[in-house]
Amino acid sequence: MSGNVQVVVIGGGYGGVTAANTLARRDGVSVTVINPRPEFVERIRLHQRVTGSDDATEGFARVMGGNVRLVVDTATRIDAAQRQVELAGGGTVSYDYLVYAVGSGAADPGVPGAAEFAYWVSDLEGAERLRSALDAAPASAPVTVVGAGPTGLETAAELAEAGRKVTLVCGDVLGPSLHPRVRRPVARRLAKVGVTVLEGPGAQVTRVTEESVELGDGRELPSAVTIWTAGFRVPDLAAHSGLRTDADGRLVTDTTLTCVDDERIVAAGDAGVMPDHPFRMSCQAAVQLGPAAADTILRRIAGKKPAPVRMFFAGQCLSLGRNAGVTQFSYPNDKVNALSISGRTGAVVKEIACVFTLDKLVSGARKAGSRSSHGNDTDRPGAPQPDPRTTPSDTRPAA
């Protein structure tokens, strides 16, 4: 393809930002990011925003290359035939290639009263509403966290350490994504900070009211603030645009992250799925998929065949308050093993992972702003600079 190539990235999360920075490093490629917020959200810190220990945001000027154009708006439809993205604010943005990186949000639990009375911590706005609700409730008011995946565990521990009276309703088992042996230090830490853990067949929420949570075994728990952390969904943009999706609404791609309906659309992050190579929705996956999606586009621009994506996982890092945490190690295929780091050291590892993830974005932004050195990437167009380190940060559950 001759002339300047226009690439539009829908979504300014981990996958979208890493894709944009990789693309922006190439001469002859102009990148536009469409994002509903004017700032980058550190999703892996949203539970900290709830308690005020971190604001979980960063300016795009720091994490995204200065040569990347930012459009603060919401994409409402992709017109693949015309290669345009329609915006909620009116108007369109044209593209030669599109990166679909819309991320994920809280799923509708389908439980009576949950949509009306429960709070979420899956996005910035949800975390802000939750924080306001907690500020309005007495310090002694009972708080219920529903869901014992990473988000539920981190939120429950963070609130309990801050002095809240917290009950964690697991639905079945505590930490379903963890190795059974690694659940033990998690359970000990939750007990230490005063979290009441309910697990087993009867610990299924069947109804949420303004002041209580009802369980499958008939118990009714007083709850001034109920926080729902079980399950995630993706926006319906792909389906609304007539593109093929799976049962969860994720854009269906091949192993090069290319949309099966249109080779000019490539997915990055939670909102895409390779049916034969499923991956866990997570920050750890997104920071690998972003550069991989960019690489697929850059190879096509260069007239080369895109390479299948190869993903490697290191584990899951959980903060259990500010003073303790657990790192669950895994095999490269994301299957967990019995190895872990817990206690204060676990908290340090989690913080290092969070800082390292942000630093990687900042480093990518700097590289994107200095194109002159990128002509040396002769092995494969758009390849991110090699880095032997891994990024184990992850707070989104597979539940």
Side-chain angles (χ1 to χ4, degrees), residues 47 50-51 118-121 130 134 141-160 164-174 190 195-199 203-205 208 212-213 215 221-230 397:
H47 61 289
V50 172
T51 60
Y119 294 86
W120 281 259
V121 69
L130 172 57
L134 289 166
V143 175
T144 302
V145 176
V146 182
T151 302
L153 296 174
E154 292 195 317
T155 302
E158 197 83 18
L159 290 172
R164 291 288 179 175
K165 181 181 178 182
V166 180
T167 297
L168 177 64
V169 181
C170 299
D172 186 14
V173 64
L174 179 72
L190 292 177
V195 176
T196 299
V197 176
L198 304 180
E199 56 184 327
Q204 300 280 348
V205 176
V208 178
S212 67
V213 170
L215 303 183
L221 311 176
S223 182
V225 179
T226 300
I227 307 166
W228 202 282
T229 70

Side-chain angles (χ1 to χ4, degrees), residues 1 14 18 46 56 77 94 112 119 121 138 169 188 267 269 285 306 336 341 375 386:
M1 179 179 291
Y14 296 99
T18 52
L46 280 175
R77 181 174 175 270
S94 299
Y119 294 86
V121 69
V169 181
R188 288 195 296 268
V336 298
I341 299 173

Side-chain angles (χ1 to χ4, degrees), residues 352-389:
I352 290 173
C354 290
V355 171
F356 174 69
T357 301
L358 183 63
D359 285 348
K360 287 278 285 184
L361 300 185
V362 174
S363 174
R366 293 196 188 107
K367 292 175 182 177
S370 177
R371 290 183 171 181
S372 61
S373 65
H374 301 147
N376 295 324
D377 293 339
T378 56
D379 181 41
R380 56 188 181 100
Q385 294 296 311
D387 193 321
R389 297 171 292 181

Side-chain angles (χ1 to χ4, degrees), residues 12-72:
Y14 296 99
V17 167
T18 52
N21 284 338
T22 303
L23 288 160
R25 292 169 56 192
R26 306 302 300 182
D27 291 326
V29 177
S30 295
V31 183
T32 297
V33 171
I34 301 171
N35 193 66
R37 306 176 190 87
E39 56 193 353
F40 174 77
V41 176
E42 282 191 88
R43 188 168 177 177
I44 56 180
R45 288 194 186 273
L46 280 175
H47 61 289
Q48 291 182 249
R49 187 176 181 105
V50 172
T51 60
S53 64
D54 197 284
D55 66 6
T57 59
E58 189 64 60
F60 274 118
R62 183 165 181 241
V63 301
M64 203 157 63
N67 52 347
V68 177
R69 175 190 175 210
L70 175 65
V71 174
V72 181

Side-chain angles (χ1 to χ4, degrees), residues 26-386:
R26 306 302 300 182
D27 291 326
V29 177
S30 295
V31 183
T32 297
V33 171
I34 301 171
N35 193 66
R37 306 176 190 87
E39 56 193 353
F40 174 77
V41 176
E42 282 191 88
R43 188 168 177 177
I44 56 180
R45 288 194 186 273
L46 280 175
H47 61 289
Q48 291 182 249
R49 187 176 181 105
V50 172
T51 60
S53 64
D54 197 284
D55 66 6
T57 59
E58 189 64 60
F60 274 118
R62 183 165 181 241
V63 301
M64 203 157 63
N67 52 347
V68 177
R69 175 190 175 210
L70 175 65
V71 174
V72 181
D73 209 328
T74 299
T76 57
R77 181 174 175 270
I78 300 167
D79 186 339
Q82 298 297 319
R83 295 181 196 161
Q84 292 183 334
V85 179
E86 299 174 3
L87 304 176
T92 60
V93 180
S94 299
Y95 66 85
D96 294 307
Y97 288 93
L98 177 74
V99 178
Y100 188 77
V102 297
S104 62
D108 182 356
V111 172
E116 183 178 2
F117 298 113
Y119 294 86
W120 281 259
V121 69
S122 57
D123 55 37
L124 184 64
E125 293 75 17
E128 276 296 283
R129 286 192 294 271
L130 172 57
R131 183 172 179 176
S132 295
L134 289 166
D135 287 345
S140 59
V143 175
T144 302
V145 176
V146 182
T151 302
L153 296 174
E154 292 195 317
T155 302
E158 197 83 18
L159 290 172
E161 189 179 73
R164 291 288 179 175
K165 181 181 178 182
V166 180
T167 297
L168 177 64
V169 181
C170 299
D172 186 14
V173 64
L174 179 72
S177 65
L178 303 176
H179 189 280
R181 189 177 298 176
V182 182
R183 292 173 192 155
R184 298 171 191 168
V186 174
R188 288 195 296 268
R189 174 60 183 175
L190 292 177
K192 184 174 181 178
V193 295
V195 176
T196 299
V197 176
L198 304 180
E199 56 184 327
Q204 300 280 348
V205 176
T206 57
R207 183 179 180 84
V208 178
T209 73
E210 189 173 8
E211 299 178 344
S212 67
V213 170
E214 298 176 12
L215 303 183
D217 58 9
R219 283 178 290 178
E220 183 173 351
L221 311 176
S223 182
V225 179
T226 300
I227 307 166
W228 202 282
T229 70
F232 285 87
R233 62 163 179 80
V234 300
D236 64 356
L237 178 61
H240 180 66
S241 303
L243 300 172
R244 200 176 316 178
T245 60
D246 70 354
D248 295 320
R250 294 176 294 178
L251 181 70
V252 177
T253 75
D254 62 16
T255 57
T256 70
L257 304 179
T258 302
C259 170
V260 295
D261 297 319
D262 190 330
E263 69 173 17
R264 289 179 178 270
I265 299 176
V266 181
D270 291 353
V273 61
M274 297 179 286
D276 296 331
H277 297 78
F279 56 87
R280 178 167 45 87
M281 296 164 69
S282 63
C283 165
Q284 190 173 174
V287 295
Q288 298 180 70
L289 293 167
D295 184 58
T296 289
I297 290 174
L298 291 168
R299 282 178 176 267
R300 284 210 166 91
I301 293 172
K304 296 183 178 182
K305 183 179 179 180
V309 173
R310 297 181 63 191
M311 299 180 67
F312 299 92
F313 292 87
Q316 303 172 42
C317 292
L318 307 179
S319 62
L320 300 174
R322 296 298 86 211
N323 300 309
V326 169
T327 297
Q328 161 75 78
F329 291 102
S330 72
Y331 300 105
N333 65 358
D334 204 28
K335 182 178 180 181
V336 298
N337 55 46
L339 299 177
S340 68
I341 299 173
S342 60
R344 179 61 185 168
T345 305
V348 171
V349 172
K350 172 60 188 284
E351 183 62 22
I352 290 173
C354 290
V355 171
F356 174 69
T357 301
L358 183 63
D359 285 348
K360 287 278 285 184
L361 300 185
V362 174
S363 174
R366 293 196 188 107
K367 292 175 182 177
S370 177
R371 290 183 171 181
S372 61
S373 65
H374 301 147
N376 295 324
D377 293 339
T378 56
D379 181 41
R380 56 188 181 100
Q385 294 296 311

